[in-house]
Amino acid sequence: MAETIVRGRVWHFGHDISTDLLSPGGFAIGSVDERKMHTLESVNPGFAGDVRPGDVVVTGRNFGCGSSRETAPENLKALGVGCIVAESLSRLFLRNAVAIGLPALVCPGVHEAFADGDDIEVDLASGRVVNHRTGAMLEASALPEEMREILDAGGILAVLRRQFGGEGDPSSG
Amino acid sequence: MARLTLAEKILGRAAGVAEVAAGEFVVADIDLAMIHDIFAARVFDLVLDSGAPGLADPEAVVVVIDHLVPAPTPEAADLHRRIREHVAALDVGTFYDAGEGICHQLLPERGHVRPGMLVVGTDSHMTTHGALAAAATGIGTSDMVYALATGRLWFQVPETIRFELSGTLSPGVVWKDVILALAGRFGSDVAQYRAIEFAGPAVKETDMASRLTVSNMAVEIGAKFGLFDADEVTEAYLRERGIEATGPLAADPDASYEAVHDVFLSDLDPQVALPNEVDRVAPVGDVAGQPIEQAFIGSCTNGRLEDLEAAAAILEGKRVAPGVRLLVAPASRRVLQEASARGILDTLIAAGASVLPSGCGPCFGGHGGLLGAGERAIGTHNRNFVGRMGSAQAEIYLASPATVAASAIAGRIADPRSMEGAGG
């Protein structure tokens, strides 16, 4: 893994944050630059404008529930979010996050242990999650090796290009 | 001796492995891949950029224009033009252009899905096709690019939970009420990362339309697959589409489940999912009387002929309440034609319904029937999340076609059993 430590500010969200909140249907076919500015606007209008590279989304149960739209993790990645730490993740969100190379971890207790604006450090390799404001330390479940390999490669399109030798940039558009 | 769930059987076969067990990772051959218009142009752009010579198996690919139908903006029209160009250039096996129907209606209706298939699509409601004992699931754009270029994709074999359903539904109660009740009782992530098998004596007589509704909403409780056995009902449905006996397909009797839930259905009332979660569910009596501005009958969940027929039975000779917009979107052109031939459409129109194109527009908050701030709607679709149908300040309730029709007449959420025509 190129970079295993993510450290930044916490953006704290609740349970059942859906793909409709992460990537509203009305902007489904817009450019990523337009689309990303509507990420989570219904629950936190300041998020897209104020989030900084390396910040971490800490959230509750069933994060990313709903649609198959890969634009949900893609919007977060485009805004610079370093990783997601959730009580639980929807299957499709986790699959898509892995596919585009955005780390997403399941960490029981994380929703309680953090508040908005906390200073968080996540070790993606070991799963250690630290709250530097409170000193709390938690353990996230490690991702299976098969998923880590895709994440480490930078996403499944990078794996594919390695097979076929194409030039396309999966992070564009 | 193998003791396999349906998911293990299908993934093992597709991966060419004699036996797989829950938790294992496999790379499996994709039998059928569906892409709809929100993602198709980008998926094909990326396939070409990857350096792949083309589609690994063009005949196994179905492209459907259903979300932006008819094109609500010049950008959408341009997107559709690009999709048509890609479809021609890449020799895509099957293409359904705008107006043909919703992808999850067309795949079974036109005979693309068969028991035992491994099916992927760029839509979360791919679980629908588990109604035909196919392991079908949603994937994102990048995974689809990989699947189209190589013909294969990685999967983690899921654990399975089994719902043993028994009893008989009361008049006025349908399988939409059953899946809403399961969501309410077991919660939106009971089947996270897992396959579901819907089984037990109550499913034996269930028609394919009802099974498709139940499997469609399996994803709303987290499921990767929402499976029914292939049985006589499946075979009869396939035979109507010219597909000869594919034989029964079921889990082994001694398969290993993470959980088995026994659910008795005879005492079930019509159910309603309340804003803003699919698993916030109550019997219709608890919310009856809430005024509504819009009633929607359609979507991949409940836009089939049987659903329109159930709504028409309630709306026959009645009028929609003043101030209520009743929108009806038949799930496909064939559903529209059949509803027209049988007089169902006349009944709905006479009652005050506006008939929408066969597509997904209002259901995903795209276009054509959106809600304003402070409005309340009841619909037959599958999601009621904040902002799902337009304004984040709108409220969405989910229910069966009969409950939605009854509510449209009353102008407020109503129990269909209080109306004539609610025969069940």
Side-chain angles (χ1 to χ4, degrees):
Chain A
M1 207 172 274
E3 183 62 67
T4 70
I5 304 293
V6 176
R7 184 162 181 179
R9 294 179 304 166
V10 165
W11 293 83
H12 194 260
F13 294 96
H15 303 295
D16 296 304
I17 296 291
S18 74
T19 52
D20 289 300
L21 297 173
L22 290 160
S23 182
F27 306 95
I29 62 169
S31 70
V32 66
D33 288 334
E34 181 200 3
R35 204 188 330 113
K36 73 181 182 188
M37 297 316 293
H38 299 280
T39 308
L40 293 165
E41 65 183 357
S42 298
V43 276
N44 185 343
F47 172 73
D50 295 340
V51 68
R52 293 198 293 255
D55 283 357
V56 172
V57 168
V58 170
T59 180
R61 289 185 305 277
N62 202 24
F63 182 78
C65 58
S67 153
S68 70
R69 60 190 81 153
E70 192 174 287
T71 51
E74 193 184 69
N75 284 350
L76 294 170
K77 192 180 180 195
L79 289 168
V81 168
C83 74
I84 319 292
V85 191
E87 295 285 335
S88 69
L89 293 160
S90 98
R91 171 197 156 255
L92 264 165
F93 185 88
L94 175 58
R95 176 147 200 142
N96 283 333
V98 169
I100 65 161
L102 174 68
L105 300 177
V106 169
C107 179
V110 74
H111 189 252
E112 274 293 306
F114 284 87
D116 224 22
D118 281 356
D119 175 3
I120 189 173
E121 183 174 331
V122 183
D123 185 333
L124 300 174
S126 72
R128 192 171 47 98
V129 177
V130 180
N131 186 337
H132 284 294
R133 179 179 65 85
T134 64
M137 202 177 290
L138 293 88
E139 289 295 326
S141 316
L143 283 174
E145 196 187 323
E146 288 82 353
M147 294 192 204
R148 275 209 322 275
E149 280 172 11
I150 298 169
L151 264 179
D152 291 354
I156 197 160
L157 291 183
V159 175
L160 183 67
R161 284 201 316 281
R162 220 178 270 166
Q163 287 178 31
F164 286 110
E167 299 300 318
D169 174 6
S171 65
S172 69
Chain B
M1 194 53 204
R3 299 172 172 187
L4 301 176
T5 64
L6 259 177
E8 289 165 346
K9 281 190 182 184
I10 297 171
L11 282 171
R13 194 271 311 154
V17 179
E19 212 171 294
V20 299
E24 282 178 38
F25 282 79
V26 296
V27 176
D29 289 337
I30 302 300
D31 298 310
L32 181 65
M34 188 286 298
I35 314 121
H36 61 56
D37 52 334
I38 299 290
F39 303 117
R42 173 142 178 82
V43 163
F44 291 130
D45 284 346
L46 288 169
V47 169
L48 295 172
D49 282 352
S50 76
L55 306 178
D57 185 4
E59 281 307 308
V61 179
V62 177
V63 172
V64 184
I65 291 187
D66 60 0
H67 274 62
L68 304 166
V69 172
T73 63
E75 290 74 19
D78 185 54
L79 191 72
H80 291 168
R81 183 185 51 73
R82 292 211 297 125
I83 292 169
R84 293 182 193 107
E85 288 168 3
H86 276 310
V87 162
L90 290 165
D91 287 325
V92 166
T94 307
F95 174 54
Y96 295 111
D97 210 328
E100 245 358 89
I102 300 174
C103 56
H104 304 306
Q105 175 65 15
L106 294 172
L107 289 187
E109 179 190 280
R110 309 294 170 91
H112 292 282
V113 183
R114 294 162 201 213
M117 274 186 160
L118 177 61
V119 187
V120 293
T122 56
D123 193 276
S124 59
H125 292 108
M126 285 303 293
T127 54
T128 307
H129 313 292
L132 289 132
T137 197
I139 58 174
T141 318
S142 299
D143 277 326
M144 181 56 81
V145 171
Y146 189 92
L148 293 182
T150 67
R152 298 164 75 76
L153 195 62
W154 71 270
F155 293 90
Q156 188 169 21
V157 180
E159 296 279 355
T160 295
I161 64 173
R162 188 170 167 101
F163 288 110
E164 283 282 344
L165 305 169
S166 62
T168 308
L169 299 183
S170 308
V173 180
V174 294
W175 283 81
K176 176 62 167 283
D177 299 307
V178 173
I179 187 66
L180 288 175
L182 293 178
R185 179 160 156 196
F186 294 96
S188 61
D189 61 0
V190 63
Q192 202 66 263
Y193 314 122
R194 295 163 178 83
I196 297 174
E197 290 179 11
F198 296 103
V203 309
K204 296 273 189 289
E205 305 293 317
T206 313
D207 67 358
M208 189 52 69
S210 301
R211 293 181 185 188
L212 289 162
T213 298
V214 170
S215 293
N216 176 273
M217 289 195 67
V219 71
E220 309 307 335
I221 50 177
K224 179 174 194 158
F225 307 130
L227 295 155
F228 284 80
D229 290 350
D231 59 10
E232 298 80 6
V233 173
T234 323
E235 236 173 82
Y237 183 87
L238 291 169
R239 207 174 300 118
E240 281 175 32
R241 282 147 186 85
I243 299 165
E244 271 319 304
T246 47
L249 181 64
D252 293 325
D254 46 4
S256 167
Y257 295 98
E258 188 184 70
V260 178
H261 301 292
D262 293 305
V263 181
F264 183 63
L265 302 176
S266 296
D267 51 6
L268 196 67
D269 288 314
Q271 304 285 305
V272 179
L274 319 180
N276 301 305
E277 280 98 34
V278 180
D279 62 354
R280 230 183 123 225
V281 174
V284 65
D286 288 12
V287 287
Q290 287 274 5
I292 56 162
E293 280 81 30
Q294 183 164 300
F296 172 61
I297 297 170
S299 85
C300 55
T301 316
N302 282 116
R304 280 175 276 281
L305 187 67
E306 292 82 351
D307 303 315
L308 271 45
E309 199 167 27
I314 302 274
L315 287 158
E316 176 84 57
K318 306 264 187 12
R319 283 289 302 177
V320 169
V324 174
R325 316 179 295 264
L326 173 60
L327 309 178
V328 177
S332 71
R333 189 189 302 282
R334 279 200 193 160
V335 171
L336 176 64
Q337 281 179 316
E338 194 63 24
S340 173
R342 296 195 193 186
I344 294 168
L345 220 47
D346 281 347
T347 303
L348 298 174
I349 294 167
S354 299
V355 179
L356 302 185
S358 296
C360 316
C363 177
F364 81 108
H367 59 99
L370 303 189
L371 302 171
E375 290 198 313
R376 187 179 291 122
I378 187 165
T380 64
H381 50 306
N382 42 42
R383 291 200 175 125
N384 57 351
F385 304 149
V386 171
R388 176 73 182 177
M389 293 184 91
S391 171
Q393 282 80 47
E395 287 191 342
I396 305 165
Y397 291 74
L398 307 176
S400 74
T403 301
V404 173
S407 304
I409 295 167
R412 48 197 69 240
I413 295 175
D415 188 331
R417 296 171 303 186
S418 66
M419 309 252 167
E420 288 169 42

